[in-house]
Structures are given as structure tokens and as C-alpha cells.
Amino acid sequence: MTNREALLESGIACLQDKGYADTTARDVAGRAGVSLGAIGYHFGSISDLLNEALAEAVRRWLEPLVGLIYGIPASLSDGELGPTIDRLFETFSRNRPLVVAYLEALVRAEHSAGLRGAMATDFDMLRTAMTTGIEQLQAGQPRSRRLDPEVTSTVVMAIFDGLIIQWLLDPSRLPSGEAIAETLQRAAVIQQATPLARRPAGSKPG
């Protein structure tokens, strides 16, 4: 492992243990077993190092998540939706430090164009996977009943972020995958049965 790689791994570990605000250059260099000067040589500053470590931590969580989404069968039945959502939730518990790093990265991205760009790329990767999955799930439906897959995936991602926050604050209040699946299915039935929902976009009530 090169000094640069050791510093990046040390940065990720320190972020998980201490968080962004409490991690110092001495923490990272000491854990990596290199000199403080190596941070400036390889990254420019401790802030740049930690921003790159945040981006890498987020990527390490999202990539398996994307793989899980791509693995969802196109013929997913109503009864399989709940367990599938539960499997997504399991990635929270398995990767809690990375989930926390993800939220920290969202805050830090406002002050770092590089971090913001890296996270936008990761979000595009997740959005593409979601869009593909939604397209597959809607393939057998009449075109008039299909939702815009990219817009739908963006809404799903927003809900996902909200669930993450709820889980971090009070995991006991997070609904089960079955409960969420039932709610989504009921909402779909209402959407199909409501005349307003079937009206073409942009049209006015008669």
C-alpha cells in the first residue's frame, strides 16, 4: 500500500471513529504511519484528504446498494417487495459508519466543489440503477399507466434519504419493508382509480 493509499484508508477510518469535525491531521498521519508532511504532498491539505475520504466512503456504501438494486428481478411480485425493501434497510445496520459519513458528506459538499461533483456522480449511478429497475417493473403495464422512471427514481431516492435520517435518530420507528410495500401498493391503487391521476399532464379539470 502506498503512502497515499494508507492516508486515504486512515482518513476513512478516522471519519468513522471520530467524525469530520474532530479528526485532525495528526490523527490521520499517525494512524497511517506516515509523516504529517505526507498529507500536504499527496492531498494538499487535511480538508482535501478528508473530503476525498468522505467521497470514497460514500462510494463504498452506494456501490453494493446499486448492485442490490440491479439484482431485483423484473418480475417482482407484491409479496416480494417488502422483503426486498428490508434487504435495502439491512445495508444501514451493516454500514452505519458509512451512512453517517454519507450525511456528513452532504453537509461538507456545500463547501467543496470536488466533493460535490464526486457525490453527484455517485448519485447518478444510484439514479440510473433505480431508473432501470422501475422501467423493468413497469414493462408489462400499459403506457398510459406508466410513471416517468427517472422522476420516480428521484422521488424514491428522496424517500430513502428521509428513512435514513429516521433510522439514525430512532430505528424503532422505522416501518418494516412489508408496511412500506403495502402503503406503496395502496397508493398505486388510489392513483389508478382517481380521475385526476389519469388526466394527462398539464390538462385542466373539465
Side-chain angles (χ1 to χ4, degrees):
M1 182 182 294
T2 66
N3 283 351
R4 191 183 194 283
E5 292 169 339
L7 283 168
L8 187 62
E9 292 300 325
S10 175
I12 293 171
C14 286
L15 285 170
Q16 293 175 348
D17 290 346
K18 305 184 68 173
Y20 191 103
D22 293 328
T23 294
T24 66
R26 199 171 296 278
D27 291 331
V28 177
R31 193 164 191 158
V34 302
S35 68
L36 280 171
I39 293 177
Y41 178 79
H42 290 289
F43 294 93
S45 70
I46 183 62
S47 294
D48 290 337
L49 188 162
L50 292 179
N51 286 342
E52 188 164 337
L54 275 175
E56 175 62 17
V58 171
R59 185 190 64 79
R60 290 183 184 184
W61 176 45
L62 289 182
E63 276 196 346
L65 195 61
V66 167
L68 180 60
I69 292 170
Y70 274 126
I72 296 174
S75 57
L76 188 70
S77 69
D78 290 349
E80 293 172 325
L81 181 57
T84 298
I85 294 173
D86 282 332
R87 285 196 293 274
L88 292 176
F89 288 166
E90 287 169 7
T91 69
F92 295 1
S93 297
R94 290 200 306 269
N95 299 281
R96 185 182 179 92
L98 295 182
V99 175
V100 173
Y102 163 72
L103 292 182
E104 287 200 273
L106 288 176
V107 175
R108 296 301 309 174
E110 180 66 21
H111 309 287
S112 170
L115 178 58
R116 189 163 60 249
M119 291 193 70
T121 298
D122 289 334
F123 262 65
D124 281 340
M125 177 179 66
L126 181 59
R127 184 181 292 106
T128 297
M130 288 274 193
T131 300
T132 299
I134 290 168
E135 286 174 340
Q136 291 177 342
L137 291 173
Q138 295 190 118
Q141 297 181 359
R143 289 191 177 277
S144 61
R145 290 173 54 187
R146 296 182 193 177
L147 301 173
D148 183 299
E150 186 166 339
V151 172
T152 304
S153 67
T154 300
V155 173
V156 169
M157 288 168 65
I159 295 171
F160 190 70
D161 283 345
L163 290 171
I164 288 174
I165 293 172
Q166 292 182 56
W167 173 77
L168 284 171
L169 294 175
D170 187 359
S172 68
R173 298 297 299 274
L174 191 70
S176 67
E178 182 180 357
I180 292 174
E182 181 179 356
T183 299
L184 292 174
Q185 288 156 3
R186 287 178 179 273
V189 170
I190 293 172
Q191 188 269 343
Q192 293 168 14
T194 303
L196 182 62
R198 295 198 299 267
R199 190 175 296 127
S203 65
K204 297 181 180 180

